[in-house]
Amino acid sequence: MARLARLQVPAIALLLLAQSMPAPAADDGAAASGKALLEAHCARCHSIESSGESPLAKAPPLREVYLKYPIEQLEEGFAEGMGSRHRDMPQIPFSDDQVEAILVYLGSITGVDPHLRPRAPATGETPP
Ligand code: HEC
């Protein structure tokens, strides 16, 4: 009995370790590719870092944009390329995976997990 107990402890520890490991690893990859996308398409105007001004003063740092809009609106906006808002901005439609990666990256620089941000606009209405 005592022998069995000794064997069980490491087995449980390994199981817990295995369960907790894949998620952060996947998120790190997503954050890195999200950052690369923003670097390639947005960083010449918007700050994409956790602090500092945007290169173009009129363009708000994307961390502020991230914290300002509900996730649903950000997803739609990124997926449609954001450009419809004004002529200055390029129209780059991102795929669902790319949008997710961008949100994970913005979550990592603001310290606010996208899954913990409000999804829908706070209108007071409850969807059916
Ligand atoms: C050529 C410069 C330029 C590039 C490149 C650019 N933007 Fe912008 N963006 C702006 C400017 C300037 C504004 C603010 C002007 C305005 O509100 O009319 C803005 C506003 C925004 C807003 C609205 C912010 C708000 O508070 O309503 C979002 C969201 C946004 N940009 C996302 C992006 C994303 C994502 C990319 C990369 C895919 C990008 N922008 C690339 C110039 C740019």
Side-chain angles (χ1 to χ4, degrees), residues 39-54:
E39 237 155 30
H41 302 292
C42 322
R44 77 192 145 98
C45 302
H46 294 270
S47 164
I48 64 159
E49 302 297 334
S50 58
S51 63
E53 301 295 312
S54 292

Side-chain angles (χ1 to χ4, degrees), residues 29-99:
S33 61
K35 182 176 191 182
L37 287 168
L38 297 180
E39 237 155 30
H41 302 292
C42 322
R44 77 192 145 98
C45 302
H46 294 270
S47 164
I48 64 159
E49 302 297 334
S50 58
S51 63
E53 301 295 312
S54 292
L56 188 69
K58 274 196 307 173
L62 289 185
R63 63 180 181 275
E64 288 175 13
V65 173
Y66 170 78
L67 293 173
K68 180 168 147 193
Y69 293 103
I71 295 295
E72 223 168 56
Q73 253 167 277
L74 292 169
E75 282 174 351
E76 277 170 26
F78 287 135
E80 284 161 15
M82 304 296 282
S84 49
R85 285 173 164 271
H86 54 88
R87 273 172 289 127
D88 283 351
M89 268 174 48
Q91 206 120 29
I92 304 148
F94 292 118
S95 72
D96 287 356
D97 284 354
Q98 289 175 320
V99 170

